[in-house]
Amino acid sequence: MKKTFIAALLVSVAASGVSIAATSGGFSPIVDDKGAISFPQDFRTDMVHLGSWFVPEGGASGFHGVYTEKSTVDAYRKTGKFPDGATLVKELRAHNSGNYTTGSDVSHETASLKQWFVMVKDSTGRFSDNGSWGDGWGWALFKPDNLTTNASSDYKTDCLGCHIPAKDNDWIYTEAYPILAE
C-alpha cells in the first residue's frame, strides 16, 4: 500500500510538471547544492510574463521579456518582496522595425535570440563562496550557443553594474512589471 501511494504520488508530480526538488522543500529546482544555476528550459510556458523592456540601440538592443513563477507574483503582491527561491528570467531578442497600419517605425521581436539573464532570490546567503551569488540573488547569464553553462563567473563585474540604479529596490526595476501591483 505504501509503495503504491509513493508511486502514485511520483506519477502525479511528474504529470503536473512540478519538480520533485521544489515539492520536497528544495530551495530552487534550477540551483544545485553548490549554487550552480541551470537554464530554466520551459520558462516561456511554465512562467508568467512580468513585462518587457525595449532598448532601441546598443549591444543590449532589442526586446527584453521578463518572466517569473506565478507563485512569485502572488507572494510579491502580498508582501512587496520577492520570496526566497523566486526566479526571474530576462530573455533578449533582436528586433526589426517597419511601417505598419498601426504606425510607422513600429518595432517587433525577431526569432534571433541574444541571451538570457537568470536571477534566483537568496535571502539567506546560501552560496557566499560562489562568485555568482551575492546581494540577495544568484546571477546567471546564458548564451544561445551554450545553455548548459553560466557565462558569468563574477556577478559583481558581469551583472551588478546594470542593476545599481535599482539597488534600493532589491536590485530589480519593478516599474516595468505592473502585474506585481495588480
Side-chain angles (χ1 to χ4, degrees):
M1 178 73 170
K2 187 175 181 182
K3 287 181 183 179
T4 303
F5 174 75
I6 291 172
L9 178 63
L10 290 173
V11 168
S12 174
V13 169
S16 72
V18 175
S19 160
I20 292 174
T23 60
S24 65
F27 167 61
S28 169
I30 65 164
V31 178
D32 72 13
D33 60 351
K34 295 189 182 349
I37 300 170
S38 298
F39 183 78
Q41 293 290 333
D42 297 324
F43 73 90
R44 286 186 211 96
T45 56
D46 292 349
M47 293 182 157
V48 177
H49 180 249
L50 282 179
S52 293
W53 298 87
F54 176 66
V55 179
E57 298 176 358
S61 66
F63 284 88
H64 300 212
V66 182
Y67 300 81
T68 195
E69 302 92 349
K70 182 184 180 319
S71 59
T72 294
V73 173
D74 295 340
Y76 191 94
R77 286 177 175 173
K78 289 178 186 169
T79 66
K81 296 179 189 248
F82 290 99
D84 201 44
T87 305
L88 299 178
V89 179
K90 180 169 28 168
E91 177 176 73
L92 278 66
R93 285 187 178 265
H95 76 286
N96 281 330
S97 298
N99 296 325
Y100 293 85
T101 56
T102 55
S104 59
D105 199 28
V106 174
S107 295
H108 62 87
E109 294 182 26
T110 70
S112 179
L113 292 162
K114 291 182 153 189
Q115 59 190 3
W116 296 266
F117 296 99
V118 178
M119 296 174 69
V120 180
K121 183 65 182 165
D122 176 24
S123 60
T124 64
R126 288 172 177 82
F127 307 106
S128 59
D129 59 339
N130 183 320
S132 294
W133 292 82
D135 287 297
W137 292 91
W139 309 73
L141 169 63
F142 294 94
K143 302 286 186 171
D145 62 343
N146 187 357
L147 295 179
T148 61
T149 302
N150 179 358
S152 167
S153 60
D154 183 351
Y155 85 97
K156 289 180 182 176
T157 58
D158 300 334
C159 307
L160 201 58
C162 291
H163 290 258
I164 287 175
K167 179 180 180 182
D168 292 337
N169 200 30
D170 198 17
W171 304 99
I172 306 298
Y173 296 94
T174 55
E175 65 270 19
Y177 314 133
I179 189 174
L180 293 175
E182 292 177 351

